[in-house]
Amino acid sequence: MAEVRSVDTAPPAFLRLAAHPLRWQLLSALADGDQRVRELVARIDQPQNLVSYHLRLLRNAGLVSATRSSYDGRDSYYHLDLDRCAEAFADSGAALHPALRRHAGPPDAPPASPSAGSVAVLFVCTGNGSRSPIAEALLRRRTSGAVTVASAGTRPKPALHPNTVRVLRESFGIDTCGLRPRHLDTLAGRRFDHVITLCDRAREACPEFPDNPRRTHWSIPDPATAEGTDDATYPAFRRTAADVDVRVRHLLPVLAATHRQEDPP
């Protein structure tokens, strides 16, 4: 008589966690960008204590993180770790059958990106000296210039922070010769498909733009506020650049989808 293999009937922890309707709504909402609890409460239309409870479960699982708002210290922004979600989905598939195990491609394989000149993106922070120009440079690099991309500040600095120049050069090989801080007002009237704020203060001050672009918020602390010499604060810039680069990589399929929707075959 053939031996019968025992089967673990319990679904993986990630599936049990994400399958809850309210938690799936929270994951879906945070996939659109970083949000505060009150925004999630309004979007999901559930009591704050219930939303907070399920957010805590997602945080404990490492799927969601929270950072204190630099605009209002009483608020926190919640962020979805898309890389961790991808790993959890892949591990769940492998638990069902080895054939569903994710096969990693080349480490630098580019995600889908839009066609040349098809999508316009604006990155906004307060000083336009670190976070938003880093995002501008990385998106331009990762799309080989196919996306129309700009950055600006609500209160721009006189020049890029020296560590912005250094981290783009040393970590990504990007020359910042053409990057200069500029005021958001200089872009008034320009059309953008996506406006992405990287600063909690800038999110509150960012004006409306023509044609109702998609608004997204990335709550990223300003590395320029770290105390010490440029050498001492450089690790903060490296962490910021790494965070921005992950978010830019996940932005590429969104931009490609924007292009397909606007220019159907």
Side-chain angles (χ1 to χ4, degrees), residues 145-158:
V147 168
T148 300
V149 57
S151 69
T154 55
R155 293 190 298 169
K157 301 289 186 181

Side-chain angles (χ1 to χ4, degrees), residues 78-110:
Y78 285 83
H79 168 66
L80 178 63
D81 188 334
L82 285 170
D83 279 346
R84 178 70 189 94
C85 286
E87 293 170 4
F89 270 116
D91 292 343
S92 297
L96 182 63
H97 192 281
L100 300 180
R101 186 177 305 279
R102 180 176 58 173
H103 297 285
D108 294 325

Side-chain angles (χ1 to χ4, degrees), residues 20-31:
H20 188 282
L22 195 151
R23 289 196 287 271
W24 185 257
Q25 284 182 287
L26 288 171
L27 293 172
S28 299
L30 291 172

